[in-house]
Amino acid sequence: MSVYKAEYIWIDGSVPTAKLRCKTKIVKMGEEAPEWGFDGSSTNQAEGHFSDRVLKPVFTCPDPIRGGADILVLCEVYNTDGTPHESNMRAKCAAVAEKYASHDMWFGIEQEYTLFDGIKPLGWPDNGFPAPQGGYYCGVGADEVYGRGIVEIHLEACLDAGLNISGINAEVMPAQWEFQVGPVGPLAVSDELWIARWLLYRIAEDFGVSATLDAKPVKGDWNGAGAHTNFSTAEMRESIDACMAAAHALEPRHELHIENYGADIDERLTGEHETCSYRDFKVGVSDRGASIRVPWQVARDGKGYIEDRRPNANIDPYVVTMLITEGVCAAAEAAK
Ligand code: ADP
Ligand code: MN
Ligand code: MN
Ligand code: MN
């Protein structure tokens, strides 16, 4: 009997930041990966006395690690009565995406992350610190970047999985890196970002290295890690006025967004290290000290997209794309 391996991946109920969980199911060739279950009492998604939760496949792609006919299966978590589990943000995002589908929202998310060797960033000295920031961003050479071997394998794996990864770069703090996913719709960018994160953890695991999405992995004069969220509606892709209107539509919602843009956001959005303080809301052209940046080529072309620089690396992209879609599209409709 021939079979394939389906790696079921889901988002748990850990607070304040959810984690990925996974387990393998052997499926008969020719059959689809079915709904499955797990012990929710071990993932902060149930009490012990009634612990079964349901895994509902929502996005599948080739498994670039196992290869062959094997697949990755991203799932939503449901209760046994058929309702979405309260930790299931994808179901909530899907409802908002559906409501505003006519705006054709696109998202491109820049995922920053830091590679760790035990308790210190990869390649950092056992005692003390590397030279101060300045030469590491988009650097090359063994004295500038740490972990490129892992980063390259991860990029290749994302492409093999068919994800819309659009680039990678070394970041400002040594051992910190970034990959970008998109631009695609809110659910697609979020599904693919969670799968890309899973691939990163899984690949780094084989090197004894852990990747973290901590927003401020090293205290002090070191950059935090963000997930800049670039977005556009069909209208913004035609008009700079729509881009500016979208930026300003987010102003009255600033606090709501900050509360939902990842744990420890106050440690990252200090006003230093290419951020705007979480206490302020600022829109700027080319300004990396703004909350919302209008890229220079968008100002030049008179159309395009804008960048929300506030989200932390440790966001749930379903929550962030849902909030932006709601805020921007509702305001655009009200202005009509
Ligand atoms: P930065 O200069 O901020 O480092 P990056 O090149 O890392 O910018 O990321 C830019 C992101 O913007 C990419 O993820 C890309 O997919 C996304 N992007 C480009 N055009 C659009 C668009 N029209 N709508 C939404 N996102 C877009
Ligand atoms: Mn970037
Ligand atoms: Mn970056
Ligand atoms: Mn950016």
Side-chain angles (χ1 to χ4, degrees):
M1 184 185 66
S2 96
V3 297
Y4 67 95
K5 301 182 199 107
E7 188 70 9
Y8 282 63
I9 298 169
W10 72 98
I11 298 153
D12 77 1
S14 294
V15 281
T17 303
K19 302 196 316 164
L20 285 168
R21 307 281 179 145
C22 53
K23 58 175 182 165
T24 309
K25 186 174 190 64
I26 305 300
V27 186
K28 283 195 192 113
M29 206 57 98
E31 288 183 8
E32 271 188 28
E35 285 189 5
W36 201 14
F38 70 101
D39 167 17
S41 69
S42 299
T43 63
N44 204 28
Q45 286 165 310
E47 304 288 333
H49 58 267
F50 191 72
S51 63
D52 282 349
R53 291 292 175 262
V54 178
L55 293 175
K56 203 168 170 175
V58 289
F59 173 79
T60 63
C61 63
D63 180 344
I65 296 173
R66 288 177 170 146
D70 297 338
I71 61 171
L72 304 178
V73 183
L74 183 70
C75 298
E76 281 188 25
V77 175
Y78 279 75
N79 302 310
T80 48
D81 66 4
T83 55
H85 187 262
E86 61 176 343
S87 65
N88 181 347
M89 295 303 160
R90 190 183 188 279
K92 299 184 176 90
C93 179
V96 171
E98 172 74 31
K99 180 173 177 193
Y100 295 111
S102 65
H103 295 258
D104 197 19
M105 265 277 194
W106 294 358
F107 287 91
I109 300 182
E110 306 169 48
Q111 176 71 69
E112 294 180 341
Y113 61 95
T114 312
L115 296 174
F116 265 75
D117 171 13
I119 59 165
K120 66 184 176 67
L122 184 65
W124 285 37
D126 286 332
N127 294 300
F129 295 91
Q133 292 182 167
Y136 305 111
Y137 170 73
C138 295
V140 59
D143 53 339
E144 304 280 7
V145 300
Y146 310 116
R148 195 189 296 274
I150 293 169
V151 171
E152 286 288 327
I153 294 172
H154 175 251
L155 173 61
E156 204 58 39
C158 289
L159 291 170
D160 288 348
L163 307 184
N164 288 287
I165 189 160
S166 57
I168 58 171
N169 60 270
E171 267 304 335
V172 173
M173 185 182 94
Q176 203 169 69
W177 293 85
E178 168 179 317
F179 64 84
Q180 303 104 30
V181 177
V184 288
L187 281 181
V189 79
S190 305
D191 291 347
E192 294 187 18
L193 186 64
W194 277 113
I195 292 285
R197 287 171 171 180
W198 185 87
L199 285 168
L200 178 64
Y201 300 140
R202 175 65 192 82
I203 287 162
E205 185 185 309
D206 285 349
F207 291 81
V209 168
S210 61
T212 177
L213 305 186
D214 234 31
K216 192 74 178 181
V218 185
K219 313 294 170 217
D221 205 11
W222 302 96
N223 273 30
H228 298 165
T229 301
N230 303 270
F231 65 91
S232 59
T233 58
E235 204 185 355
M236 292 164 68
R237 293 190 288 276
E238 293 303 323
S239 134
I240 185 83
D241 293 345
C243 290
M244 299 314 291
H248 291 290
L250 294 176
E251 180 157 16
R253 297 165 55 92
H254 181 56
E255 266 178 44
L256 170 70
H257 285 239
I258 289 292
E259 279 163 21
N260 288 282
Y261 275 11
D264 304 322
I265 197 161
D266 52 325
E267 289 182 32
R268 178 177 147 261
L269 298 186
T270 57
E272 302 289 316
H273 305 113
E274 304 174 55
T275 70
C276 181
S277 165
Y278 70 93
R279 292 191 184 87
D280 302 323
F281 181 88
K282 205 168 121 191
V283 178
V285 176
S286 279
D287 184 357
R288 288 174 194 270
S291 324
I292 308 285
R293 177 175 67 104
V294 181
W296 68 271
Q297 70 276 25
V298 173
R300 181 199 61 195
D301 297 345
K303 60 181 180 179
Y305 67 97
I306 59 176
E307 175 189 45
D308 189 343
R309 298 177 59 79
R310 296 171 295 172
N312 271 355
N314 57 6
I315 50 160
D316 181 341
Y318 296 123
V319 173
V320 170
T321 59
M322 172 177 69
L323 287 173
I324 293 176
T325 299
E326 199 171 59
V328 168
C329 298
E333 290 184 5
K336 285 263 144 55

